[in-house]
Amino acid sequence: MATSKSRWYALAALALSTLAIGLDTTILSVALPTLSRDLHATTGDLQWFTNAYLLVLAAVLLPAGMLGDRFGRKKLLLGALFVFGAASAACAWSASTGQLIAARAVLGLGAAVLMPLSGAVLTVLFDDKERSKALSVWLTASALGIPLGPLLGGWLLDNFWWGSVFLINVPLVAIALVAVTFWVPESHGDRTRRFDLLGVLLSAGGLVALTYGIIEAGDRGWGDARSLATMIGGVALLVGFVVWQRKAKSALVDLDLFRSRAFTGGAVLATVASFAMLGLLFALPQFFSAVGGQDAFGSGLRLLPIIGGLLIGARTAEKVAARVGNRVVIAGGLALMTAAMVVGSLTDATSGYGFVAAWITAAGIGLGFTLPPSMDAALGALTAERSGVGNGLLQAMRQVGGAIGVAVLGTVLNSAYRSGLPVSSGPVRESASSGVAVATQAHDASLLDAVRDAFTHGMDVSLLVAAAVAAAGAILALLMLPRRTPVAPVEPERLVLAESGL
């Protein structure tokens, strides 16, 4: 494939779109107290600001990949960017909680199309030698939004009205629209495949039910009957989806993808990494805020070592994988994440930031060794015609894995936190932030210490659970992945792009 600057400009455009999605993942969290006050939002409303986005995202990821393959990825990318930008503006100027929930749902629709199709375009634009580097840039852009969200959100809320935290997406989307228009070539997959309506309904219903059940379990507890019933119903629908996919003439998902050890292993291990890391990123901002006394800006600043570690790990992994293969690199990355989280479980309320920065940097390096090579292994097994559907499946697995990680590790953290408190009821048990507020208002130093110690203990227990998951992933990497990632065949579509200088 001929080299050209234009494909790297295209990568920059795609990275901007994923940066906007990454920002939106965390920037809302710092605005929730302000939204509660200015929009008179209840606790249920605040939950739906997040859940409406996640549920639409889960429902649309798989059909979005198929639609991009059939109707053109560039067309859908441009449409999704427009929808994402318009929905961001609608969020900013919402006058009621209902309007904001609806706008957040539309925002999830735009993100659900952007995520799989931007990855699918990378598969077409970059060959096996360049794809790993391109994926590192793309994934880092998304990860960079996680600490930047609280940083930007805190600064904007200090200086402007709450809608500004949503408007930050608009200039990024505008630049991405121009860049995609000029530098991203049109590409398709299998345009003869018919629309699998039953497959869409089963997959959307199953993913929505499973994700919603997980979200509810994280809030109500894993013994809650309604949450369990919803999750079981979601799993049943997904089983029905798999059965239907085996029979359907024009299936939504090509189950033959799972015959590839590289795709299956890469997808599973990327999901494991998302589980462990998103659970970690759920706990750390609360630790910095409730235990360290940092504001939103300070908490975001203290997350930057994870991103620094990710950058170092991704760059190093690319070079090492070229010599020893993805299997060893991914297993090593998950082993490093395991070790970092075990060390992190030794954190207590008196630990200095230097200690915390050291182990979260190591965790970030482990993530850099794990996530880009896992994605590369999975995407390398896809032909250009399968890249849209394959990316949709991969992103759906990662999103559900991340949601499960937040719910499971959040539940573990909250259970251990509550068990360590000296009180059996009241707002102190709701969250560490509420506990700190109550203790500060009452000028009760012993209660404040108890809240901080209890939360740190809860975080330590959740880190051990995350470490166990990462350790299991390291073993799976050695068992599931081939010694060398197979090179995907060059499709006619790629050859045409190469000859055109793209």
Side-chain angles (χ1 to χ4, degrees):
M1 180 178 288
T3 59
S4 171
K5 289 184 179 179
S6 59
R7 78 167 63 103
W8 296 102
Y9 294 149
L11 172 62
L14 300 173
L16 277 175
S17 65
T18 58
L19 175 60
I21 295 172
L23 281 172
D24 193 74
T25 301
T26 55
I27 202 168
L28 177 66
S29 61
V30 300
L32 289 178
T34 307
L35 291 172
S36 177
R37 182 181 66 249
D38 292 358
L39 290 180
H40 307 290
T42 65
T43 300
D45 292 330
L46 296 178
Q47 290 175 330
W48 274 106
F49 293 157
T50 299
N51 295 351
Y53 176 89
L54 288 175
L55 293 177
V56 173
L57 185 71
V60 180
L61 274 170
L62 284 179
M66 182 270 291
L67 291 172
D69 285 349
R70 184 174 182 182
F71 296 110
R73 297 167 190 138
K74 180 176 180 177
K75 293 187 186 73
L76 264 71
L77 277 173
L78 289 172
L81 283 167
F82 179 81
V83 167
F84 196 86
S88 296
C91 287
W93 280 295
S94 295
S96 67
T97 57
Q99 290 180 13
L100 183 54
I101 290 170
R104 288 283 297 170
V106 178
L107 200 67
L109 175 64
V113 177
L114 286 172
M115 290 173 66
L117 293 189
S118 57
V121 170
L122 290 184
T123 306
V124 173
L125 283 178
F126 295 93
D127 62 16
D128 298 279
K129 292 181 179 179
E130 295 177 323
R131 190 178 56 242
S132 179
K133 183 183 295 183
L135 274 172
S136 296
V137 173
W138 184 61
L139 290 168
T140 301
S142 177
L144 192 60
I146 294 170
L148 284 182
L151 286 173
L152 281 174
W155 182 80
L156 289 169
L157 288 169
D158 286 342
N159 294 277
F160 305 97
W161 105 108
W162 61 263
S164 60
V165 301
F166 298 106
L167 286 182
I168 193 65
N169 291 333
V170 175
L172 292 175
V173 167
I175 295 171
L177 275 169
V178 173
V180 169
T181 299
F182 286 101
W183 290 309
V184 174
E186 185 59 281
S187 61
H188 296 82
D190 184 359
R191 284 180 272 187
T192 64
R193 178 177 294 180
R194 297 177 61 186
F195 189 77
D196 182 12
L197 179 60
L198 181 57
V200 170
L201 294 176
L202 287 172
S203 65
L207 287 172
V208 167
L210 179 59
T211 305
Y212 179 74
I214 290 166
I215 292 169
E216 287 292 288
D219 182 57
R220 297 171 177 268
W222 288 89
D224 178 65
R226 188 174 75 176
S227 301
L228 287 173
T230 306
M231 283 188 284
I232 291 170
V235 171
L237 286 173
L238 290 175
V239 171
F241 170 70
V242 172
V243 172
W244 169 248
Q245 294 302 283
R246 291 184 178 278
K247 298 179 179 180
K249 293 181 179 179
S250 298
L252 177 62
V253 172
D254 186 355
L255 295 180
D256 285 343
L257 289 172
F258 290 106
R259 295 181 184 274
S260 166
R261 289 178 63 193
F263 179 83
T264 304
V268 169
L269 295 169
T271 302
V272 168
S274 297
F275 176 104
M277 211 60 195
L278 286 179
L280 174 64
L281 291 170
F282 171 79
L284 279 173
Q286 298 181 72
F287 173 77
F288 292 139
S289 174
V291 179
Q294 299 296 323
D295 57 14
F297 184 86
S299 296
L301 196 64
R302 282 160 177 75
L303 288 173
L304 289 179
I306 295 179
I307 305 304
L310 173 62
L311 288 170
I312 294 170
R315 290 294 299 273
T316 307
E318 181 186 346
K319 297 175 181 177
V320 177
R323 294 187 176 185
V324 301
N326 280 330
R327 184 173 73 163
V328 174
V329 171
I330 294 169
L334 287 164
L336 181 57
M337 289 177 67
T338 301
M341 291 177 183
V342 169
V343 172
S345 71
L346 302 176
T347 304
D348 59 38
T350 62
S351 296
Y353 177 67
F355 173 74
V356 177
W359 70 260
I360 66 174
T361 300
I365 293 173
L367 182 66
F369 267 78
T370 303
L371 195 51
S374 295
M375 297 280 287
D376 186 43
L379 295 178
L382 299 175
T383 62
E385 288 191 346
R386 286 174 159 179
S387 61
V389 171
N391 266 281
L393 180 59
L394 181 59
Q395 298 295 348
M397 290 176 65
R398 286 186 60 210
Q399 288 300 312
V400 172
I404 293 173
V406 171
V408 171
L409 298 179
T411 301
V412 170
L413 189 157
N414 287 334
S415 297
Y417 164 69
R418 289 167 182 166
S419 68
L421 290 173
V423 296
S424 58
S425 62
V428 173
R429 295 180 62 83
E430 292 180 4
S431 69
S433 297
S434 297
V436 169
V438 169
T440 302
Q441 189 174 11
H443 303 289
D444 189 338
S446 61
L447 178 60
L448 182 61
D449 289 340
V451 167
R452 288 174 170 169
D453 288 339
F455 180 83
T456 305
H457 169 66
M459 185 183 76
D460 291 345
V461 175
S462 71
L463 285 174
L464 287 175
V465 175
V469 172
I475 296 171
L476 285 175
L478 296 174
L479 296 176
M480 296 181 70
L481 288 175
R483 290 184 180 274
R484 289 282 179 175
T485 302
V487 177
V490 177
E491 296 293 318
E493 181 182 3
R494 284 186 176 179
L495 293 176
V496 170
L497 291 173
E499 291 168 1
S500 65
L502 294 169

